[in-house]
């Protein structure tokens, strides 16, 4: 099945430069961002930072195939922009089917030797990769802020979080155990072996340009698989820097390949290849469904972490300070651009007004700006399309009777900055309740009873993350068990960790990432029956 004009990972399909001979004014950016012409110069601050990153060897502007840095075969390129300023940070190759097939061949060849290394040998190299990620934490954080926009402190937090998966799976590489099964006949011995799936196609989003890569590539490499990675066209620089550090760590050529560019062409090549035995994807539910259909032709294994519509339920008996702090973290991290963001804050009527007031005061203190500025806690949205989506959701709510308590419009900074927003009197008929806003907008809904809260929370096709705030232990258990979600935070808004399984139910995806369970997604189980054991 062809993906046609499919746009991977929540973004419009990219547009590559048709030919090197075209003038700069004819070149188009990778997305619908508000993009300046190539002639616009970077600020002195940005130029110095880019120069520093280039000198460090981490600002790579080519794809990686078989350990070699390469351009697109036809010379096509695309721009990587800073969403906070609109400046062109770098020009990178706009690749497609041909480069992807080359990367697949490279990964297929490298699999023969990488999978034959001992678990300890793979572990040592993956651990070295972790050490290098941590050693270059500052540079990687700067790259994330440059191309994704999140505040530098938050970006460096992502580096630590992303590196934690590499450290964890360096250790788990040595713990892939099989089984011996008691035989039903005396002359037989029964075994279960676990072996790597093979070549993995990994498709990652722009909102966590390092962590979403390491959460997939870490377990794949630990199991003995090789990877063809397609990062988002919006944020390829972090992926390329991570791949450079993998090479420095001794990960052999071809084990990790990186291609970026024409999303439909790259996706089609990964789906059509018989050598690619697994697809792992983080992105929208709509694209996940297309990948499921496309993978049927070669019966590939799939791991899908798809869209969410997270409820955050605040009960009357909740500690107000804990609820405000947790809801703030769950809603506004990364400017609301995460799949596990609290998309609906459902508050019991007895505490509704107090919570709305305290929450508004907390949100009002948030500082919006360029991620490199001191004290900033919220950066820009990723592009103009993201802002327009937020605007349409807010207008829909207002037209149906919702009230803006705070924010509700573009920020005075311009570009793609949007004010941290709180909206009250939201109902289930509004878009803010039914779909992910993927922006810094917190809708407040009111409920009376525990049963009503559970019905409201589960009234969605999504089932990724949910949050509960209550001091009643019995209630926390009852509600947790009743919620149709893969992740539940009780009195806590930040729940992701490398040691726990991450994934959803219903239309939020298949499989789990992170933890020991994440290893199983990259392993095949082989049963062996050894007969004629009584012969001497």
């Amino acid at each position: 099945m062809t993906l046609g004009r499919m746009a991977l990972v929540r973004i419009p399909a990219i547009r590559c430069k048709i030919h090197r001979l075209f003038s700069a004014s004819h070149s188009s950016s990778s997305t619908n961002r508000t993009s300046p012409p190539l002639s616009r110069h970077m600020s002195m601050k940005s130029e110095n930072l880019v120069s520093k990153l280039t000198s460090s060897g981490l600002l790579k502007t080519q794809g990686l195939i078989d350990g070699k840095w390469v351009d697109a075969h036809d010379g096509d390129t695309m721009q990587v922009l800073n969403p906070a300023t609109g400046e062109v940070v770098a020009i990178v190759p706009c690749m497609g089917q041909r480069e992807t097939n080359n990367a697949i061949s490279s990964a297929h060849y490298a699999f023969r030797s990488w999978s034959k290394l001992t678990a300890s040998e793979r572990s040592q190299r993956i651990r070295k990769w972790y050490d290098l990620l941590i050693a270059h934490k500052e540079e990687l954080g700067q790259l994330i802020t440059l191309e994704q926009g999140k505040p530098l402190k938050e970006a460096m937090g992502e580096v630590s979080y992303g590196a934690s998966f590499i450290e964890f799976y360096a250790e788990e590489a040595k713990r892939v155990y099989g089984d011996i099964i008691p035989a039903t006949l005396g002359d037989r011995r029964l075994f279960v072996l676990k072996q790597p799936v093979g070549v993995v196609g990994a498709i990652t989003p722009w909102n966590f340009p390092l962590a979403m890569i390491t959460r997939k590539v870490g377990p794949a490499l630990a199991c003995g698989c090789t990877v063809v990675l397609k990062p988002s066209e919006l944020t390829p620089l972090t992926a390329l820097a991570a791949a450079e550090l993998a090479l420095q760590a001794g990960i052999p050529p071809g084990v990790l390949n990186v291609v970026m560019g024409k999303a439909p062409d790259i996706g089609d090549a990964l789906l059509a290849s018989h050598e690619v035995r697994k697809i792992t994807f983080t992105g929208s539910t709509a694209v996940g469904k297309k990948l499921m259909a496309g993978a049927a032709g070669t019966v590939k294994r799939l791991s899908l972490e798809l869209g969410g519509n997270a409820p955050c339920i605040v009960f009357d008996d909740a500690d107000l300070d804990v609820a405000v702090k947790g809801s703030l973290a769950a809603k506004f991290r990364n400017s609301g651009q995460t799949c596990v963001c609290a998309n609906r804050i459902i508050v019991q009527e007895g505490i509704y007004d107090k919570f709305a007031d305290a929450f508004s005061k907390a949100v009002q203190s948030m500082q919006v700006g360029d991620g490199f500025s001191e004290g900033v806690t919220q950066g820009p949205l990723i592009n103009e399309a993201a802002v327009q989506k937020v605007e349409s959701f807010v207008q829909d709510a207002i037209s149906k009777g919702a009230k803006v308590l705070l924010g509700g419009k573009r920020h005075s900074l311009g570009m793609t900055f949007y004010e941290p927003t709180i909206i009250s009197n939201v109902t289930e008929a509004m878009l803010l309740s039914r779909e992910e806003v993927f922006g810094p907008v917190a809708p407040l809904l009111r409920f009376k009873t525990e049963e009503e809260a559970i019905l409201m929370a589960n009234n969605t096709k999504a089932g990724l993350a949910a949050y509960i705030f209550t001091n009643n232990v019995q209630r926390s258990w009852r509600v947790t068990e009743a919620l149709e979600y893969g992740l539940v935070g009780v009195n806590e808004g930040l729940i992701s960790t490398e040691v726990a399984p991450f994934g959803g139910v219903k239309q939020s995806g298949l499989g789990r990432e992170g933890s020991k369970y994440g290893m199983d997604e990259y392993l095949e189980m082989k049963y062996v029956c050894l007969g004629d054991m009584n012969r001497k």
Side-chain angles (χ1 to χ4, degrees):
M1 173 181 174
T2 179
L3 295 187
R5 294 182 60 82
M6 179 191 80
L8 295 179
V9 198
R10 295 190 180 93
I11 58 175
I14 63 166
R15 297 169 293 158
C16 297
K17 191 162 68 173
I18 301 302
H19 197 278
R20 279 191 185 276
L21 295 179
F22 277 15
S23 65
S25 63
H26 288 95
S27 175
S28 57
S29 72
S30 61
T31 70
N32 284 351
R33 286 180 177 175
T34 303
S35 54
L38 285 176
S39 58
R40 175 173 173 178
H41 296 293
M42 283 191 290
S43 66
M44 184 64 68
K45 179 180 179 181
S46 296
E47 284 185 349
N48 290 340
L49 182 55
V50 168
S51 177
K52 176 185 173 184
L53 290 168
T54 302
S55 299
S56 73
L58 291 184
L59 184 58
K60 296 295 183 182
T61 56
Q62 295 174 294
L64 180 64
I65 300 175
D66 196 26
K68 301 180 181 66
W69 297 103
V70 296
D71 293 317
H73 74 93
D74 57 4
D76 281 7
T77 61
M78 59 186 184
Q79 300 173 6
V80 180
L81 306 179
N82 180 341
T85 64
E87 296 169 336
V88 179
V89 177
I91 306 294
V92 298
C94 183
M95 296 174 161
Q97 189 171 32
R98 178 172 171 178
E99 296 86 356
T100 306
N101 286 332
N102 289 341
I104 292 169
S105 296
S106 171
H108 182 64
Y109 181 82
F111 174 71
R112 302 171 192 174
S113 55
W114 179 249
S115 63
K116 295 298 186 292
L117 292 180
T118 66
S120 178
E121 289 171 326
R122 289 198 300 272
S123 174
Q124 290 171 10
R125 299 186 191 194
I126 297 170
R127 174 70 198 201
K128 179 62 175 175
W129 189 18
Y130 163 77
D131 292 338
L132 289 172
L133 289 170
I134 293 299
H136 294 279
K137 180 178 177 179
E138 183 177 358
E139 295 99 321
L140 290 169
Q142 290 168 343
L143 268 177
I144 291 172
T145 298
L146 265 179
E147 64 177 351
Q148 198 275 338
K150 65 180 63 173
L152 182 59
K153 182 179 179 180
E154 191 173 334
M156 292 179 68
E158 181 186 339
V159 177
S160 296
Y161 175 56
S164 71
F165 289 102
I166 301 302
E167 180 185 36
F168 182 85
Y169 286 113
E171 298 162 353
E172 285 299 299
K174 298 179 284 187
R175 302 187 182 111
V176 179
Y177 302 138
D179 288 299
I180 298 176
I181 302 172
T184 55
L185 297 173
D187 67 338
R188 296 184 181 181
R189 300 295 183 270
L190 312 181
F191 307 91
V192 173
L193 304 178
K194 291 185 178 180
Q195 297 177 308
V197 168
V199 177
V200 174
I203 303 170
T204 59
W206 50 262
N207 55 345
F208 289 91
L210 180 66
M212 296 302 95
I213 291 171
T214 57
R215 199 164 73 183
K216 298 175 186 300
V217 176
L221 268 55
C223 290
C225 299
T226 55
V227 178
V228 176
L229 169 66
K230 181 216 164 292
S232 168
E233 296 79 18
L234 298 171
T235 56
L237 302 179
T238 305
L240 297 172
E244 165 63 19
L245 294 176
L247 289 176
Q248 293 181 22
I251 305 295
V255 172
L256 175 59
N257 306 272
V258 184
V259 293
M260 62 276 184
K262 305 180 186 75
D265 292 352
I266 294 171
D268 286 347
L270 292 172
L271 291 173
S273 172
H274 291 273
E275 294 174 343
V276 177
R277 295 309 313 141
K278 176 182 173 65
I279 297 289
T280 175
F281 168 74
T282 295
S284 72
T285 299
V287 173
K289 291 177 180 179
K290 292 180 180 180
L291 290 172
M292 288 184 73
T298 52
V299 194
K300 299 186 196 303
R301 291 183 61 173
L302 288 167
S303 294
L304 303 174
E305 193 261 283
L306 307 177
N309 186 2
C312 179
I313 306 173
V314 182
F315 287 96
D316 283 348
D317 58 19
D319 182 303
L320 184 61
D321 290 338
V322 171
V324 168
K325 180 181 177 182
S327 300
L328 194 72
K331 173 66 255 184
F332 290 100
R333 183 168 61 117
N334 198 17
S335 300
Q337 300 174 117
T338 87
C339 298
V340 294
C341 272
N343 202 57
R344 299 167 290 157
I345 302 179
I346 305 171
V347 187
Q348 199 161 15
E349 58 183 4
I351 199 175
Y352 186 93
D353 292 333
K354 288 182 180 179
F355 177 86
D357 182 61
F359 192 55
S360 296
K361 289 177 181 177
V363 173
Q364 205 164 14
S365 67
M366 294 177 62
Q367 184 174 334
V368 180
D370 187 317
F372 289 108
S373 299
E374 189 70 29
V376 165
T377 55
Q378 181 183 300
L381 297 186
I382 190 65
N383 59 16
E384 176 62 22
V387 181
Q388 292 178 7
K389 178 183 177 181
V390 170
E391 287 180 322
S392 69
F393 277 40
V394 170
Q395 288 307 311
D396 172 80
I398 293 172
S399 70
K400 294 174 181 175
K403 179 183 178 183
V404 176
L405 298 183
L406 188 71
K409 61 183 184 299
R410 291 177 184 249
H411 199 279
S412 59
L413 288 170
M415 294 302 299
T416 58
F417 291 97
Y418 196 88
E419 294 180 346
T421 298
I422 301 176
I423 299 182
S424 66
N425 300 333
V426 175
T427 68
E428 293 183 274
M430 300 172 186
L431 286 174
L432 282 173
S433 292
R434 301 201 311 269
E435 300 178 23
E436 277 186 298
V437 66
F438 232 64
V441 179
L444 304 184
L445 292 81
R446 191 187 303 260
F447 74 93
K448 293 182 180 180
T449 67
E450 180 180 311
E451 292 73 21
E452 183 185 6
I454 292 169
L455 287 173
M456 291 172 68
N458 289 338
N459 186 24
T460 174
K461 294 178 181 178
L464 186 56
Y467 306 91
I468 306 167
F469 291 91
T470 177
N471 280 333
N472 185 311
V473 175
Q474 291 85 355
R475 170 177 281 160
S476 68
W477 275 103
R478 284 195 308 270
V479 177
T480 294
E481 291 174 354
L483 289 172
E484 298 168 350
Y485 292 85
L487 315 168
V488 179
V490 180
N491 295 325
E492 181 55 62
L494 297 177
I495 60 177
S496 299
T497 170
E498 76 278 10
V499 302
F502 187 102
V505 299
K506 298 196 286 189
Q507 293 190 28
S508 283
L510 305 170
R512 293 295 182 269
E513 294 183 330
S515 80
K516 66 176 183 179
Y517 304 105
M519 291 287 281
D520 293 337
E521 303 290 337
Y522 300 90
L523 293 167
E524 295 284 12
M525 191 179 296
K526 180 182 288 184
Y527 156 60
V528 180
C529 176
L530 184 60
D532 198 23
M533 291 296 295
N534 292 338
R535 184 174 59 172
K536 296 182 180 179

